[in-house]
Amino acid sequence: MNFFNRQKTRSPAETVKYLKENILRLDQSAVGEGRKRINEEISRLLSSTKTSLSGEGDSDPSPDVIAQVANEVYAQDLLSLMVIHLGKFDFEARKDVCHIYNTLLRRQLGTRSPTVDTIATRPDIIFNALKGYTNADTALNTGMILKEMLRYEPLARILLYSEQFYTFPNYIENTTFGISTDAFGCMKETLTRHKLMVAQYLDANYDRFFNMYTTLILSSNYVTKRQSLKLLGEILLDRANYSIMTRYISSEANLKMMMNFLRDKSRNIQFEAFHVFKVFVANPNKPAQIATILRRNKDKLLVFLKEFHNDKDDEQFNDEKQFLIAQIQQL
């Protein structure tokens, strides 16, 4: 037996400490064999940490071990370091980081979520995960971590109320299809999961938010435009956003924009615009300027709607269309 080549047995908490040491060594090592060995060690340590948190095979993890590992992760600032250095890790190691994050975020002690509480004191962790969309190699990994964080209202609130929230359009408009779709998904999560918190934010920041959001609706990118219109319909029709909806459907510019989208060359864009346009028409307390525009275009709208997507086999859509036609006829 070779006694000189055995790896030192470390406790799970010691493994976490050693993981931090190796991550920091990556910054100091040049590309080559030395860096490769450090990366291999990081991969091994991340895999070991994941096993400590999740158990191995059919065996459940020990609650004591989970507590030791979690507390050491917090103490060694690994929640931040893993996100910042993710692009330097090997492919499988990146997946293990996502798994570790998900496991720690879901950990609860009674009614407390210690990992959520820790990240809430370190907004830079959330912002660095969002900034991960600038790195095509790791964007989907950091996107996965960000989406998991956004499940928790204290963390979603930090992002929504930050300047960094307004960088979403850049990641949606100026990245590859996969990254753009992922970024849009995280923005949607921020705007739809925690309804009362979002309603308060939109009420207080209405102009700034919709100035930004309108750039996505008017995007030259078909997917961005369609997703944005669809999400707009969801936001306006959510009961929690009643006051925001009332404001939105009082704007002449918004009505004219939706009427233009009804004539878009894409049938899907027309369909998503219809679900926003119907809110203007169905409003029983239309402001004078909205009623005037609809009255002025009454005959054209009636002809248009009677021929609008007649081939669609959708009972709810057809009922809504007939309701709109009746409302416009009564103007």
Side-chain angles (χ1 to χ4, degrees):
M1 184 181 290
N2 185 348
F3 290 97
F4 299 100
N5 199 29
R6 290 192 305 173
Q7 287 187 328
K8 179 184 175 186
T9 302
R10 296 184 179 85
S11 71
E14 288 172 336
T15 297
V16 173
K17 283 183 184 175
Y18 193 51
L19 173 58
K20 177 185 178 176
E21 290 174 19
N22 278 274
I23 291 174
L24 294 178
R25 283 171 63 201
L26 266 183
D27 284 337
Q28 298 152 11
S29 64
V31 177
E33 280 302 311
R35 190 182 184 112
K36 184 180 176 186
R37 280 196 298 272
I38 295 171
N39 248 321
E40 287 171 354
E41 186 67 359
I42 288 172
S43 295
R44 189 184 66 76
L45 294 166
L46 282 168
S47 178
S48 177
T49 302
K50 181 183 80 170
T51 301
S52 296
L53 290 170
S54 305
E56 192 162 16
D58 295 330
S59 61
D60 291 329
S62 157
D64 287 343
V65 170
I66 291 175
Q68 289 171 29
V69 170
N71 289 333
E72 203 58 51
V73 166
Y74 307 149
Q76 299 297 329
D77 199 26
L78 270 183
L79 291 171
S80 176
L81 289 173
M82 288 190 297
V83 169
I84 292 171
H85 292 85
L86 195 66
K88 299 171 186 172
F89 299 167
D90 294 333
F91 180 76
E92 288 300 322
R94 294 171 190 170
K95 286 164 47 176
D96 285 344
V97 168
C98 294
H99 188 97
I100 291 167
Y101 246 97
N102 289 0
T103 306
L104 287 174
L105 279 164
R106 295 178 190 207
R107 175 175 174 251
Q108 284 195 290
L109 294 177
T111 57
R112 285 182 55 241
S113 299
T115 307
V116 174
D117 295 342
T118 301
I119 296 173
T121 67
R122 291 287 306 278
D124 57 295
I125 296 174
I126 303 169
F127 303 149
N128 282 327
L130 174 61
K131 203 188 297 180
Y133 283 125
T134 60
N135 185 338
D137 292 334
T138 56
L140 299 185
N141 300 113
T142 49
M144 200 179 300
I145 292 169
L146 180 62
K147 187 165 285 186
E148 191 64 28
M149 287 195 270
L150 293 172
R151 294 177 68 238
Y152 303 92
E153 185 170 326
L155 307 186
R157 174 187 289 275
I158 288 170
L159 180 57
L160 183 59
Y161 277 82
S162 71
E163 286 298 312
Q164 284 83 348
F165 175 76
Y166 288 86
T167 63
F168 266 118
N170 181 45
Y171 302 133
I172 292 167
E173 289 278 65
N174 301 315
T175 52
T176 61
F177 174 77
I179 296 173
S180 170
T181 303
D182 200 88
F184 190 91
C186 277
M187 185 181 75
K188 179 178 178 180
E189 186 79 358
T190 314
L191 291 169
T192 56
R193 180 174 280 274
H194 311 286
K195 297 183 185 300
L196 292 178
M197 183 268 287
V198 171
Q200 290 170 353
Y201 175 82
L202 293 179
D203 208 34
N205 299 274
Y206 180 91
D207 290 332
R208 185 180 185 194
F209 173 78
F210 279 104
N211 284 341
M212 176 275 282
Y213 199 80
T214 300
T215 65
L216 294 175
I217 295 173
L218 296 173
S219 171
S220 58
N221 182 294
Y222 163 77
V223 176
T224 299
K225 183 187 292 187
R226 183 181 175 187
Q227 285 181 323
S228 302
L229 277 169
K230 185 179 177 69
L231 177 56
L232 174 63
E234 291 176 29
I235 290 171
L236 295 181
L237 291 171
D238 195 303
R239 193 172 301 173
N241 295 327
Y242 180 79
S243 64
I244 290 98
M245 177 202 73
T246 305
R247 257 171 107 174
Y248 193 87
I249 62 175
S250 299
S251 162
E252 294 176 64
N254 292 339
L255 174 58
K256 290 173 182 175
M257 182 166 58
M258 291 308 138
M259 289 171 69
N260 285 332
F261 281 138
L262 286 174
R263 297 179 301 167
D264 194 271
K265 62 183 179 183
S266 162
R267 285 172 57 83
N268 289 324
I269 298 293
Q270 294 171 7
F271 185 70
E272 300 302 346
F274 172 85
H275 288 295
V276 179
F277 174 72
K278 70 186 181 187
V279 188
F280 287 90
V281 178
N283 180 12
N285 301 308
K286 298 178 189 63
Q289 67 272 22
I290 299 299
T292 298
I293 292 172
L294 292 173
R295 246 194 324 270
R296 192 187 307 140
N297 292 277
K298 175 179 176 178
D299 294 339
K300 290 178 183 176
L301 282 169
L302 288 173
V303 171
F304 178 81
L305 287 172
K306 284 172 183 174
E307 300 298 322
F308 186 71
H309 291 222
N310 284 341
D311 56 342
K312 194 171 283 293
D313 186 18
D314 182 332
E315 187 176 345
Q316 183 180 344
F317 165 73
N318 288 321
D319 287 347
E320 288 176 349
K321 193 173 77 161
Q322 291 309 314
F323 174 76
L324 292 198
I325 289 171
Q327 290 293 305
I328 291 170
Q329 283 174 333
Q330 291 171 21
L331 285 169

